[in-house]
């Protein structure tokens, strides 16, 4: 019997401090047993349990894309016991990764469709995975227009700034980067909250256009009415939930929303699905 | 399968014999209460008992259990790599488990044995068990098993069922495991041909003695969100002190936590029982808690057992009617009352005073 609680041993290969407040770091891991990389085959939108031996596990969205080989990447916010300890670990340290876990964004549904990605703050990790995946030369023809609305409090709080700049220069993805406010005279992108920019920049709804929203509750709360106004159907709005987790495989009982476990049946749900579930997240 | 008759004077001897093959567990009286305990040489199960205070679920899902071991010493090979801990898979038998508690294992199994994932700890422990059940001739006043998908003589989930027929026991094997246990005890006297009728008679008397019932027929068709928003949760939760006794004593509660426990440079990853009654169970790192209030947690427990489980598996409620949570609740919250309230809830008839 395969033990679903046993993490694959990994080594920290690189650590990048992403944001000016230094609270977000991206960890690049390589598998100690190369065969484990195949077993960890994942889809954009899934997550994994990062296992810091002696401290515990944390569920984190996979920030790398399935099209990137040889490593996996996670961007971790410094919050509690495990993430704080992880922030102090160094390149070469050994830990574990358990997964991939959860469903993913519905790539079979999204194929041949326009995709609007709406992200805020540090919830951009699985959205990065999705963008890299869709922009892969093999995959790009499978999708129509791709729009990305991504906001943070300040320019220095945006994740993956070099990649954002590179995507800005491409003509096969429409980037709408925004910050809540800035005093930076060189800032050449949008200023304004994500819902406002969504209203201005997002394409009008049609049956072939899907929105993926991932961000803090306050952003979701004010973006959803905007999408409603623009005519997005609730089965065309895709969201990724978070809840406290331990097992990641639908067994330990804490992350349920109604009868669904966020870890196993989610974390991705359409708004139409969420409308039938208690608001317990 | 055939019924064996065991003269009560032969009982202890047979039990003793099986100890060479099985590690035995059975009801033992400790002060006022019965508990399931290991039965060493010469120790016998106390068959004059109603039911144990805590269910024997801990024999499959221990209150605390090591999952992995590791070392944090960077000079050691494989430091920081988790290693599986060998588990005891030798045959074990529980003597005198009540039908409700055995049936509970089947309900819990749906959580731990899924098409996607199998929990190796739970399944290994469960598969190593032989369950010799003990039919309830005299149910307790809090038992409501007959309307909770179970019953005092319920056979599903047992390997053999033992019936107290006065001067002798009648023992019926229900599975090959049960058959093997009976053989190892050397009990071989076939019961008289009317044994089945005697069992039926005792069964019918016991079922009639169960005086409390729940109604569950409408739960499946209730709207989840309407039940969730029902006005009665605050009132049900009002006296609750979130002590968690109901979850720990429940044979069908399985929630657990995972923690790393270090001892110097070594350590184990443990799993421990957890409870939906505690705020830490669902507290986010941000400080947000989707079940931050006591009433949310009480609602979670009952909604899980009586609605979410019903919807998820379409196989009845996640309760066997053992009545432990009713007997042990320090503030007299009664799952029977809550179940009936949920079952009969009519949102249209509920008019809130303005």
């Amino acid at each position: 019997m395969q033990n679903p609680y046993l993490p694959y041993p990994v080594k920290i290969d690189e650590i990048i401090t992403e944001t000016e407040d230094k609270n977000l770091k991206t960890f690049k891991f390589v598998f100690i047993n190369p065969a484990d990389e195949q077993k960890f085959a994942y889809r954009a939108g899934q997550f994994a349990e990062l296992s810091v031996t002696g401290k515990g596990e944390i569920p984190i969205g996979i920030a790398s894309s399935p099209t990137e080989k040889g490593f996996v990447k996670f961007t971790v916010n410094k919050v509690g016991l495990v993430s704080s300890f992880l922030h102090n670990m160094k390149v070469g340290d050994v830990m574990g990764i358990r997964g991939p876990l959860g469903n993913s964004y519905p790539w079979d549904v999204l194929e041949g469709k326009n995709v609007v990605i709406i992200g805020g703050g540090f919830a951009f990790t699985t959205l990065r995975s999705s963008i890299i995946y869709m922009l892969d030369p093999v995959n790009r023809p499978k999708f129509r227009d791709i729009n990305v609305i991504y906001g943070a409090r300040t320019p220095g709080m945006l994740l993956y700034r070099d990649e954002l700049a590179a995507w800005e220069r491409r003509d096969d993805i429409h980037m709408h980067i925004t910050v809540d406010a800035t005093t930076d005279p060189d800032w050449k992108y949008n200023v304004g909250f994500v819902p406002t920019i969504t209203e201005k920049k997002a394409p009008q709804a049609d049956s072939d256009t899907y929105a993926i929203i991932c961000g803090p509750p306050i952003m979701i709360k004010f973006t959803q009415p905007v999408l409603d106004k623009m005519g997005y159907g609730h089965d065309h709005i895709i969201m990724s939930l978070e809840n406290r987790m331990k097992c990641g495989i639908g067994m330990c009982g804490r992350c349920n929303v109604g009868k669904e476990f966020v870890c196993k049946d989610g974390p991705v749900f359409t708004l139409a699905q969420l409308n039938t579930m208690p608001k317990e997240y | 399968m055939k019924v064996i008759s065991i003269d009560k004077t032969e009982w202890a001897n047979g039990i003793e014999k099986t100890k060479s093959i099985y590690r035995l567990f059975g009801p033992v009286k400790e002060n006022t209460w019965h508990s399931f305990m290991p039965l060493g040489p010469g120790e016998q199960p106390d068959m004059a008992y109603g039911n144990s205070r805590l269910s024997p679920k801990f024999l499959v899902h221990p209150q605390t259990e090591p999952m992995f071991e590791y070392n944090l010493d960077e000079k050691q090979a494989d430091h920081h790599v988790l290693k599986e801990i060998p588990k005891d898979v030798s045959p074990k038998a529980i003597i005198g488990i009540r039908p409700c508690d055995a049936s509970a294992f089947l309900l819990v199994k749906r959580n731990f044995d899924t098409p996607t994932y199998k929990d190796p700890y739970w399944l290994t422990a469960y598969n190593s068990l032989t369950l010799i059940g003990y039919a309830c001739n005299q149910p307790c006043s809090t038992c409501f098993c007959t309307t909770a998908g179970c019953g005092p003589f319920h056979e599903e989930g047992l390997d053999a069922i033992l019936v107290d027929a006065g001067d002798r026991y009648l023992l019926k094997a229900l599975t090959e495991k049960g058959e093997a246990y009976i053989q190892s005890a050397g009990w071989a006297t076939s019961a008289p041909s009317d044994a089945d009728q005697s069992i039926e008679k005792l069964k019918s008397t016991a079922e009639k003695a169960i005086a409390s019932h729940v109604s569950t027929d409408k739960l499946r068709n209730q709207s989840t969100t309407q039940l969730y928003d029902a006005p009665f949760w605050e009132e049900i939760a009002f006296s609750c002190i979130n002590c968690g006794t109901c979850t720990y004593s429940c044979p069908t509660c399985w929630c657990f936590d995972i923690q790393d426990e270090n001892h110097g440079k070594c350590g184990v990853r443990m799993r421990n029982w957890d409870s939906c009654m505690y705020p830490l169970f669902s507290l986010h790192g941000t400080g947000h808690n989707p079940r931050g209030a006591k009433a949310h947690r009480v609602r979670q427990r009952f909604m899980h057992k009586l609605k979410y489980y019903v919807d998820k598996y379409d196989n009845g409620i996640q309760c066997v009617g053992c009545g432990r949570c009713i007997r042990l609740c320090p503030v007299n919250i009664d799952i029977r009352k809550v179940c009936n309230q949920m079952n009969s809830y009519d949102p249209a008839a509920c008019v809130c005073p303005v």
Side-chain angles (χ1 to χ4, degrees):
Chain A
M1 205 183 310
Q2 206 194 321
N3 190 331
Y5 299 99
L6 182 65
Y8 300 120
V10 294
K11 206 166 247 188
I12 302 178
D13 191 50
E14 193 187 355
I15 303 171
I16 301 159
T17 302
E18 293 281 355
T19 51
E20 60 190 4
D21 69 354
K22 298 184 175 62
N23 259 331
L24 282 138
K25 286 185 180 177
T26 296
F27 295 83
K28 189 170 153 188
F29 299 106
V30 290
F31 291 93
I32 289 177
N33 308 314
D36 289 345
E37 189 182 342
Q38 289 250 310
K39 294 188 209 153
F40 193 82
Y42 61 94
R43 297 182 301 278
Q46 288 189 287
F47 72 97
E49 289 281 350
L50 303 188
S51 161
V52 176
T53 316
K55 294 292 166 189
E57 295 185 314
I58 43 172
I60 305 287
I62 307 173
S64 52
S65 151
T67 54
E68 296 174 299
K69 302 293 179 194
F71 62 90
V72 282
K73 262 186 186 180
F74 296 83
T75 303
V76 180
N77 190 22
K78 191 164 113 181
V79 176
L81 174 81
V82 178
S83 60
S84 300
F85 190 87
L86 178 60
H87 265 244
N88 288 328
M89 286 171 71
K90 28 182 219 307
V91 169
D93 284 349
V94 174
M95 49 181 277
I97 293 181
R98 192 156 68 77
L101 302 168
N103 60 3
S104 65
Y105 297 118
W107 295 108
D108 49 340
V109 175
L110 296 172
E111 217 172 292
K113 306 296 191 322
N114 302 305
V115 179
V116 185
I117 283 181
I118 303 168
F122 52 82
F124 196 62
T125 58
T126 59
L127 300 178
R128 176 203 179 265
S129 172
S130 304
I131 294 168
I132 301 272
Y133 170 74
M134 289 190 289
L135 291 182
D136 185 81
V138 176
N139 294 329
R140 185 62 191 87
K142 294 184 200 162
F143 302 95
R144 287 160 57 186
D145 278 1
I146 302 173
N147 275 275
V148 176
I149 297 148
Y150 174 39
R153 293 200 299 276
T154 61
M157 289 303 290
L158 289 162
L159 298 178
Y160 319 125
R161 284 190 293 277
D162 293 345
E163 287 175 320
L164 294 176
W167 296 334
E168 276 281 359
R169 291 192 293 273
R170 295 176 69 130
D171 61 2
D172 58 351
I173 179 166
H174 310 293
M175 298 296 296
H176 313 286
I177 301 168
T178 185
V179 291
D180 295 353
T182 181
T183 51
D184 180 357
D186 295 330
W187 178 252
K188 50 185 190 237
Y189 308 112
N190 302 286
V191 176
F193 295 120
V194 167
T196 318
I197 304 301
T198 303
E199 193 163 9
K200 283 191 202 153
K201 305 286 175 105
Q204 283 305 308
D206 69 43
S207 58
D208 279 344
T209 303
Y210 284 80
I212 301 178
I213 312 183
C214 212
I218 189 78
M219 183 203 95
I220 291 171
K221 186 178 168 189
F222 288 103
T223 305
Q224 196 201 311
V226 170
L227 292 174
D228 280 346
K229 206 164 103 187
M230 296 172 82
Y232 281 78
H234 286 184
D235 55 347
H236 280 52
I237 299 176
I238 297 159
M239 295 167 133
S240 186
L241 297 193
E242 286 188 339
N243 248 355
R244 186 178 182 125
M245 296 174 189
K246 287 281 179 173
C247 72
I249 56 175
M251 289 181 181
C252 78
R254 56 176 49 55
C255 73
N256 74 294
V257 176
K259 72 178 169 63
E260 314 295 343
F261 288 108
V262 174
C263 70
K264 188 184 171 196
D265 306 309
V268 177
F269 297 95
T270 64
L271 184 53
Q273 286 173 305
L274 293 177
N275 290 340
T276 68
M277 292 154 63
K279 301 269 172 288
E280 204 168 76
Y281 43 84
Chain B
M1 289 193 186
K2 71 170 183 178
V3 181
I4 299 291
S5 171
I6 307 166
D7 191 289
K8 283 193 175 169
T9 56
E10 296 164 26
W11 168 251
N13 193 24
I15 291 285
E16 208 56 36
K17 271 192 210 162
T18 63
K19 288 180 188 167
S20 63
I21 300 178
Y22 298 86
R23 274 176 65 203
L24 290 196
F25 297 86
V28 171
K29 196 168 187 184
E30 292 182 306
N31 303 321
T32 5
W33 306 97
H34 280 85
S35 307
F36 279 87
M37 303 283 279
L39 301 173
E43 290 170 341
Q44 287 289 317
D46 179 3
M47 302 305 274
Y49 90 119
N51 204 353
S52 56
R53 182 161 64 150
L54 295 179
S55 87
K57 75 171 170 186
F58 68 89
L59 291 169
V60 175
H61 185 22
Q63 186 159 9
T64 179
E65 175 178 29
M67 306 170 83
F68 303 105
E69 56 191 0
Y70 51 78
N71 77 71
L72 303 170
D73 182 354
E74 300 202 353
K75 285 184 230 114
Q76 303 280 324
D78 274 358
H79 64 87
H80 290 83
V81 175
L82 300 191
K83 287 180 208 68
E84 294 191 69
I85 297 174
K87 291 285 167 183
D88 172 20
V89 292
S90 63
K92 290 173 265 298
I94 310 183
I95 312 302
I97 184 172
R98 292 298 186 182
C100 53
D101 290 336
S103 177
F105 285 134
L106 297 181
L107 300 196
V108 174
K109 190 167 185 274
R110 296 194 184 105
N111 182 63
F112 287 114
D113 185 4
T114 72
T116 332
Y117 299 108
K118 314 256 174 234
D119 186 292
Y121 307 101
W122 195 94
L123 283 168
T124 306
Y126 179 68
N127 291 335
S128 72
L129 279 183
T130 298
L131 301 176
I132 308 300
Y134 189 24
C136 303
N137 285 350
Q138 290 161 317
C140 312
S141 62
T142 45
C143 292
F144 58 102
C145 51
T146 47
T147 47
C150 196
F153 280 59
H154 193 74
E155 295 179 353
E156 214 185 334
L158 288 172
D159 295 303
I161 187 161
L162 185 78
V163 179
D164 186 343
D167 57 343
R168 62 204 164 103
Y169 289 121
L170 298 171
L171 178 58
K172 183 159 72 161
L174 302 165
T175 66
E176 280 176 21
K177 271 183 170 179
E179 198 83 66
Y181 182 83
I182 292 169
Q183 267 185 21
S184 75
W187 297 314
T189 313
S190 291
S193 56
D194 64 349
D196 277 328
Q197 283 140 286
S198 326
I199 293 176
E200 275 309 311
K201 219 174 133 192
L202 286 165
K203 179 180 170 180
S204 153
T205 311
E207 283 176 353
K208 280 189 200 115
I210 288 177
S212 67
H213 304 101
V214 290
S215 302
T216 58
D217 55 316
K218 298 198 193 90
L219 289 169
R220 188 82 169 87
N221 291 329
Q222 293 279 15
S223 142
T224 298
T225 46
Q226 281 177 341
L227 262 189
Y228 184 86
D229 291 329
F232 47 68
W233 295 116
E234 284 290 344
E235 196 189 319
I236 292 168
F238 179 74
S239 59
C240 179
I241 54 172
N242 274 181
C243 67
T245 298
C246 50
T247 59
Y248 290 143
S249 61
C250 177
T252 70
C253 273
W254 62 66
C255 291
F256 61 88
D257 187 20
I258 301 175
Q259 292 284 337
D260 284 8
E261 203 173 288
N262 300 337
H263 310 275
K265 293 275 183 193
C266 298
V268 281
R269 181 159 291 171
M270 308 285 292
R271 85 162 167 199
N272 305 313
W273 286 358
D274 208 339
S275 168
C276 56
M277 288 296 110
Y278 305 146
L280 272 180
F281 187 61
S282 52
L283 179 68
H284 287 206
T286 56
H288 166 66
N289 195 340
R291 296 198 277 266
K294 179 175 80 166
H296 300 161
R297 300 191 282 276
V298 172
R299 171 172 61 190
Q300 160 65 15
R301 172 170 154 84
F302 290 117
M303 284 292 277
H304 186 205
K305 292 201 170 300
L306 305 170
K307 178 60 181 164
Y308 305 152
Y309 187 94
V310 173
D311 288 355
K312 199 168 186 87
Y313 300 107
D314 199 11
N315 227 317
I317 55 174
Q318 187 201 328
C319 172
V320 289
C322 74
R324 284 187 180 89
C325 59
I326 305 167
R327 289 197 295 278
L328 296 176
C329 178
V331 297
N332 296 324
I333 292 173
D334 189 331
I335 192 172
R336 293 170 297 190
K337 196 177 146 201
V338 178
C339 183
N340 291 337
Q341 228 170 331
M342 287 172 69
N343 191 63
S344 64
Y345 180 55
D346 178 4
C350 168
V351 181
C352 297
V354 180

